[in-house]
Amino acid sequence: TGSFVGDIAVVAVSLCDNSERNRFGDDFRGIAIYDVSDPARPQLLSTYDSGERTQGVHEVDVVTRPDGRVLVAATVMQSYLHTEGAKGDVRLIEITDPTAPVELSDWDYRAAVLSPDEILPPGVDEEYHAHSVDFAGGGNRLWAAVWDAGAVLLDIDDPATPVVVNSVEAVASAEGNVHSVIS
């Protein structure tokens, strides 16, 4: 990009103990971005904090789009519940300048798809967390594995405003638990 030449690694950082007591602690959770142009000497370029009360980033995917923008999609499982709806489980972060990551949007199935009268009771709504993400369409689409809701395809032509394109429900005879997506 105009601000960086080399190879980067994006590392998901999550709490091992994600109990409420620990989520309110000061331990870092989010992503760490490293310059690995010399793999024997990785250099930390920056970090992105997924926010207090979150358990951290579970899975990531990275894409360089044809327009030159470099994006990270990250799942912050149960973020929607742990932040009382303030932040969604899927985060889109621009790292075109990997020394200065910028969150462009957050998205959550429960907020974007379910109507207020469909919001599920505690203990059931946690089964609608985003577990995995995978860029498609050159980085203009994003698949999200949303546990019991299935695989959801998002249009992210404008990554600041993800829009649901379609979804594939979990197999009816199965419990659900869509773990991962890859396109």
Side-chain angles (χ1 to χ4, degrees):
T1 67
S3 56
F4 180 80
V5 175
D7 297 318
I8 61 167
V10 177
V11 179
V13 181
S14 187
L15 299 174
C16 290
D17 172 3
N18 63 16
S19 65
E20 184 173 355
R21 172 188 51 81
N22 211 30
R23 288 194 328 271
F24 279 88
D26 293 332
D27 292 329
F28 173 76
R29 73 296 301 265
I31 60 172
I33 303 165
Y34 289 89
D35 178 347
V36 292
S37 301
D38 178 355
R41 292 178 187 76
Q43 300 293 316
L44 179 65
L45 295 173
S46 63
T47 59
Y48 159 83
D49 190 326
S50 61
E52 66 178 40
R53 301 189 331 196
T54 69
Q55 61 193 41
V57 173
H58 185 68
E59 291 193 18
V60 296
D61 194 18
V62 182
V63 69
T64 301
R65 292 172 23 144
D67 63 8
R69 295 174 83 180
V70 182
L71 301 180
V72 173
T75 55
V76 184
M77 287 180 20
Q78 303 300 356
S79 178
Y80 187 76
L81 296 179
H82 295 160
T83 65
E84 298 171 355
K87 288 292 227 180
D89 287 6
V90 174
R91 311 287 178 84
L92 288 169
I93 305 146
E94 182 165 358
I95 61 166
T96 305
D97 176 355
T99 65
V102 176
E103 182 180 299
L104 301 174
S105 62
D106 65 280
W107 178 88
D108 196 88
Y109 180 85
R110 291 158 286 205
V113 176
L114 298 177
S115 67
D117 61 331
E118 290 177 301
I119 297 297
L120 304 165
V124 175
D125 56 357
E126 67 189 31
E127 295 299 319
Y128 286 86
H129 68 272
H131 191 276
S132 172
V133 285
D134 186 58
F135 285 108
N140 289 323
R141 301 284 184 270
L142 182 72
W143 282 102
V146 183
W147 212 239
D148 276 358
V152 179
L153 180 61
L154 300 173
D155 178 328
I156 56 167
D157 281 335
D158 176 2
T161 57
V163 176
V164 175
V165 174
N166 205 345
S167 64
V168 179
E169 292 183 12
V171 177
S173 62
E175 179 189 0
N177 301 350
V178 176
H179 184 278
S180 299
V181 288
I182 190 163
S183 59

